[in-house]
Amino acid sequence: FSGRSEKVAAVIAECRRLGIEVRLPDVQRSHAPFTVETDANGAPEAIRFGLAAIKNVGEGAIEAITSVRDGGDEPGPFRSLHDLCRRVDLRTVNKRVLESLIKSNAMAALGTAGALLDALDTALENGQRHQRDVAAGQSTLFDLFALPASDAGSAYLDGGEEIPRRERLRWEKELIGLYLSEHPLGDIADQLPDYVTAYTGDLAEDEDQSKVTLGGIILSSRRVITRAGSTMLVATLEDLTGSVEVVVFPRVFEETAPAWADDAVVLVTGRIDRRDETPQILCEAVHAWDDAVRMGPTAFGVERDRLLASRGGRRPNGANGNGNGLGGEPRDQGVWGSGPRQAVPVEVPAPVAVAVGPVAAVEPADEPPAPAHAVPIQSAPEAAAATVAVSIGDDVPTDQLLGAIESVKGALAGRPGPLEVVLSLSVAGATRRVRLPDRVAWDERLAAAVRRAAGVPVAVELRPLVEDRPA
């Protein structure tokens, strides 16, 4: 299968359950579709992720890569990033494609992500110059000093800026749709059973309106405004078994807003709602993972229940004060840990007065999970009172401008929102300002993403709309 189906994650999970290894995409081995790899005896041993499953990598680019790797005048694995840029058609395999391949781990055989990204502009420039010279019938330095095929792999790039683990995993999730190399919750997998009462994979079997505590990472969130003018939130929470939509009603959101940052690891307590076909969680309390760990499992369970009770909530189903909220017989020990512990007297601390500390509130039971009359917050009149200004440095060579502009547009495309984007650049000694077609949502990560994608000096800032409209 090609990998562009929404069922890919489920298929990968089933492969892992059956003990079938699923390997990362690799420009040295992958083809467009997923393929079966065999051992020396021809027996199947793993599934290789297909290049067609990587966002921003189209069929033309894949054909350009695999055709020169598996055939052509000099077939064989790519010896380095510079060798790849020399051999593939850079009119098809552009900077955006190569960045996506690097960030999805498909070029890990050639170097670390930081080193490859640092070297990419130079490699592209040299590759483009080589291909122009070849088209003109001229020999190049690449031809004179090319590494022999026996040296394949010797030009591995190391160093560069170290990419934080969470950033690398975010790239992986964004570009291939799931965490394949590892899960961001992997470091706390052994601790989670002491704090949660369920995983998202259990929700299909649990009863409607039953209380659960889930632990996971916030993948995304969106604010909506109700007809009454209150702000609420709908977030996507992912744990080790899947993801679920969490609905945060206005009164809960007012007290917990700082806790819902993307990539935050949290513990969410709420009711399962089955008014739609897919279960949702109606949030009643949220705790930052670090705060819960500082309290410890037992104190966390007591504090969570105290907060719910003080606001009219009920204990999670089966809560017995043992910290994990599980009552009766313990669930399967391979998933849930060692089962209930004996309750011990604890001194419950007061709620911690920090931005993402334990906070809770309870909405009326009859309030709908997501009001039909709610509208996106970006539709509010004041939301579009600014513009995002992107300025490309005056000293950027003309032959790099087009690639930089395309990379900037690519970085903006995945962040839809209410704000106009105005691009400023120097052409023939004059500054030109162009309004881009895509509107975006502003945050500091947007600015960092644009600067990183451009590959050239770029300034990104939020300005009042009146100051930044192009003539």
Side-chain angles (χ1 to χ4, degrees):
F1 52 98
S2 71
R4 293 197 181 276
S5 167
E6 61 183 9
K7 297 181 180 179
V8 169
V11 172
I12 298 297
E14 181 65 12
C15 288
R16 287 172 168 168
R17 189 185 70 81
L18 296 173
I20 301 172
E21 181 185 359
V22 181
R23 293 173 177 168
L24 289 164
D26 186 352
V27 293
Q28 307 284 42
R29 300 175 180 272
S30 291
H31 296 271
F34 285 60
T35 53
V36 176
E37 295 189 344
T38 58
D39 60 19
N41 298 319
E45 64 175 0
I47 292 175
R48 176 68 66 177
F49 212 88
L51 296 178
I54 303 174
K55 186 178 178 181
N56 303 327
V57 181
E59 294 180 3
I62 296 170
E63 173 62 23
I65 292 170
T66 57
S67 62
V68 300
R69 182 194 68 193
D70 301 334
D73 296 333
E74 45 179 324
F78 300 108
R79 297 183 285 270
S80 66
L81 173 63
H82 287 267
D83 179 52
L84 185 150
C85 290
R86 179 179 68 89
R87 290 164 60 187
V88 304
D89 186 351
L90 294 178
R91 295 170 298 180
T92 304
V93 185
N94 57 28
K95 182 176 181 179
R96 187 183 186 191
V97 170
L98 291 170
E99 285 181 337
S100 296
L101 290 170
I102 292 170
K103 292 179 178 180
S104 63
N105 289 315
M107 294 178 66
L110 304 179
T112 64
L116 291 171
L117 290 172
D118 283 350
L120 183 55
D121 285 336
T122 301
L124 279 169
E125 183 178 350
N126 291 339
Q128 289 164 348
R129 184 182 302 114
H130 167 77
Q131 293 177 15
R132 286 196 300 268
D133 291 346
V134 169
Q138 302 176 17
S139 296
T140 70
L141 290 176
F142 281 113
D143 301 320
L144 296 175
F145 298 105
L147 292 172
S150 60
D151 289 338
S154 62
Y156 180 88
L157 282 177
D158 205 349
E161 180 182 357
E162 184 177 355
I163 309 299
R165 171 177 173 271
R166 180 169 289 187
E167 179 76 354
R168 287 187 287 105
L169 292 176
R170 188 181 66 80
W171 287 346
E172 189 173 293
K173 176 73 174 180
E174 177 184 346
L175 292 168
I176 67 176
L178 71 159
Y179 300 113
L180 190 59
S181 60
E182 59 178 314
H183 197 281
L185 299 180
D187 292 342
I188 63 172
D190 292 340
Q191 295 174 274
L192 274 173
D194 293 333
Y195 294 86
V196 303
T197 67
Y199 291 92
T200 57
D202 303 321
L203 299 181
E205 302 174 3
D206 290 334
E207 295 182 0
D208 185 37
Q209 298 303 309
S210 60
K211 293 286 189 71
V212 292
T213 295
L214 304 172
I217 185 170
I218 299 172
L219 295 184
S220 63
S221 62
R222 67 183 189 275
R223 299 184 183 190
V224 296
I225 296 178
T226 66
R227 183 177 298 168
S230 300
T231 302
M232 58 180 287
L233 186 90
V234 180
T236 300
L237 182 78
E238 177 171 293
D239 65 9
L240 295 165
T241 65
S243 61
V244 66
E245 196 169 76
V246 179
V247 177
V248 190
F249 290 116
R251 278 182 288 180
V252 180
F253 180 66
E254 183 180 354
E255 298 184 26
T256 66
W260 300 102
D262 287 358
D263 299 328
V265 179
V266 295
L267 294 164
V268 174
T269 300
R271 305 191 309 274
I272 300 174
D273 184 87
R274 298 187 183 282
R275 300 188 191 189
D276 296 323
E277 183 177 343
T278 303
Q280 293 178 316
I281 300 299
L282 308 185
C283 177
E284 296 181 358
V286 59
H287 291 72
W289 170 254
D290 291 341
D291 291 335
V293 170
R294 279 194 290 269
M295 284 188 277
T298 303
F300 163 73
V302 174
E303 173 66 1
R304 174 200 58 200
D305 295 349
R306 186 188 71 80
L307 285 169
L308 293 176
S310 69
R311 291 168 172 83
R314 302 185 303 274
R315 282 178 161 189
N317 283 7
N320 57 11
N322 62 12
N324 62 15
L326 296 174
E329 294 298 320
R331 300 205 186 193
D332 178 63
Q333 306 253 334
V335 176
W336 292 91
S338 58
R341 295 174 296 278
Q342 295 298 318
V344 295
V346 294
E347 181 178 348
V348 179
V352 182
V354 296
V356 292
V359 283
V362 179
E363 292 297 318
D366 58 353
E367 185 161 350
H373 53 266
V375 296
I377 194 167
Q378 53 259 36
S379 65
E382 65 274 12
T387 187
V388 176
V390 180
S391 302
I392 297 180
D394 294 342
D395 56 348
V396 175
T398 303
D399 60 353
Q400 294 183 27
L401 275 178
L402 182 59
I405 293 171
E406 289 301 314
S407 297
V408 167
K409 290 169 64 178
L412 296 170
R415 300 170 181 268
L419 303 178
E420 288 184 341
V421 180
V422 174
L423 176 67
S424 300
L425 64 160
S426 179
V427 180
T431 299
R432 306 293 296 274
R433 301 168 73 228
V434 181
R435 187 181 301 115
L436 299 183
D438 292 331
R439 290 174 176 259
V440 300
W442 170 263
D443 59 38
E444 290 302 322
R445 290 193 305 173
L446 171 69
V450 170
R451 286 192 291 267
R452 190 164 50 240
V456 298
V458 170
V460 186
E461 58 183 329
L462 190 66
R463 296 179 181 172
L465 186 60
V466 66
E467 296 180 7
D468 215 36
R469 284 190 179 276

